[in-house]
Amino acid sequence: MFNPHPRIQTVPIAGRHVCHVIDDALQHPEAMVDYAAAHLDAFEEKSHNGYPGLELRMPEAFSAQLDTFFATHLRSRMGMRRTERMYSRLAITATPPEQLKPFQSICHIDRLSVQPQHRIAASVLYLFRDDTLGGTAFYGPKHPPQVIVPLIEDSGTLDADAFRDKYGIATGYMTASNDWFEKLVVVPARFNRIIFYEGTLFHTGEIAHPERLVRDPRRGRLCLNGFFTCRRSLSA
């Protein structure tokens, strides 16, 4: 299903990190949209992570195709070798901004801590044609970990009012720098574009028009997300 001859563009992020961007990722992207529409009843809202919408875990056979694509074209570029764990999911961003939890109102990383021998990668494949539904924004912390980590922990325990009073962060999708994080780069969405980045980079969906969000996979912000735990390259 994946393009066997991808053209990879590399976007620098603050001089230390990169995001790899590939257009025309799937040979038949509409088939993925059809799959999402046919399985809409199986999408669920998960409480164990911060995704603001509906999710559907993909079959292992498909995830294996994504991992093969990642291993063939991206893994060594990102300083990684053997994939130890990975999975993929379809996801529809659909939560109204006023209903977001504090941890959904800030940028995030896919792991707060990683074992020294591991590196984490993530991917997003955009499966919607309305580019105004938003791509992915990357942020950098303005403070050291001993300041940022308590903020992240509080975002998972405080209610919205208490979090706003303590940190000055209102409920809603994050689309700009604030006192805690600096917006660095936005990778725009494009139908059938996939991006790969290190999961320890702060990032979030660039949801500048939340009024356009719907639960319909043919009209809404449908993405395919991949998450990879890999061995660190010996030279990394």
Side-chain angles (χ1 to χ4, degrees), residues 40-87:
L40 180 58
D41 289 345
F43 278 77
E44 299 178 296
E45 293 193 46
K46 303 286 188 179
S47 60
H48 66 273
N49 63 41
Y51 188 78
L54 306 168
E55 304 174 36
L56 177 65
R57 185 79 168 247
M58 291 297 289
E60 294 299 323
F62 176 83
S63 291
Q65 291 187 52
L66 175 59
D67 187 43
T68 296
F69 183 80
F70 170 65
T72 303
H73 303 291
L74 283 306
R75 196 166 63 190
S76 63
R77 290 173 180 252
M78 299 179 70
M80 304 176 191
R81 49 194 179 100
R82 185 176 73 252
T83 302
E84 295 197 342
R85 297 185 303 277
M86 69 85 55
Y87 75 95

Side-chain angles (χ1 to χ4, degrees), residues 16 32 34 48-49 79 83 127 136-137 159 182 189 205 210:
R16 296 187 300 113
M32 186 65 69
D34 292 341
H48 66 273
N49 63 41
T83 302
L127 292 166
T136 301
D159 63 32
E182 178 184 1

Side-chain angles (χ1 to χ4, degrees), residues 150-179:
L151 180 151
I152 294 172
E153 292 174 343
D154 283 347
S155 74
T157 58
L158 298 179
D159 63 32
D161 291 340
F163 188 72
R164 182 190 62 242
D165 291 345
K166 185 171 183 177
Y167 294 103
I169 299 175
T171 300
Y173 287 100
M174 185 177 186
T175 58
S177 300
N178 57 27
D179 291 339

